[in-house]
Amino acid sequence: MVKTVKDPLVSKLTKALKSKKAQNILVLDMRETGQNVCDFFIICHGTSGVQAQGIAENSIRELRKEEGFKPIQVEGLANAEWILVDYGNVVAHIFREDMREFFRLEDLWADAKITTV
């Protein structure tokens, strides 16, 4: 089932991810898990490292240009296996497909409310 999350940054970020064909986008609501990591994790993947890198770079560029959002930190962009884009209360994890299957990050946070975008 596809739902929306009522957070402006999450909505804009998932829209930017979809525009570059990010696959299987999940939003994990971390607010009620007892974990103070952030409010939301967004997890998605590209079919290759080049696509994952393009998804990340486009999302960063679009959010900065359109909304003035600038990530606090970006990790993994060079090797494009697991790219982390940290906006503080929202953290995006953009994987290469095989790395997502290997790490299965969404299973680590199974107690979060998960929304498919």
Side-chain angles (χ1 to χ4, degrees), residues 29-100:
D29 187 337
M30 306 296 286
R31 295 175 293 184
E32 295 181 23
T33 64
Q35 306 290 323
N36 292 330
V37 177
C38 63
D39 291 344
F40 297 97
F41 273 174
I42 300 174
I43 303 171
C44 66
H45 70 269
T47 56
S48 68
V50 172
Q51 186 189 20
Q53 190 176 47
I55 290 166
E57 289 173 342
N58 179 70
S59 299
I60 293 166
R61 184 174 46 254
E62 288 297 311
L63 265 68
R64 184 176 289 157
K65 180 177 74 175
E66 302 276 330
E67 307 298 331
F69 291 114
K70 182 179 177 186
I72 296 167
Q73 188 165 358
V74 179
E75 296 286 338
L77 199 55
N79 66 6
E81 293 178 349
W82 178 355
I83 303 166
L84 182 135
V85 184
D86 183 355
Y87 285 97
N89 66 324
V90 178
V91 177
H93 299 270
I94 304 164
F95 287 93
R96 192 177 69 204
E97 186 173 16
D98 61 325
M99 297 307 284
R100 182 177 184 176

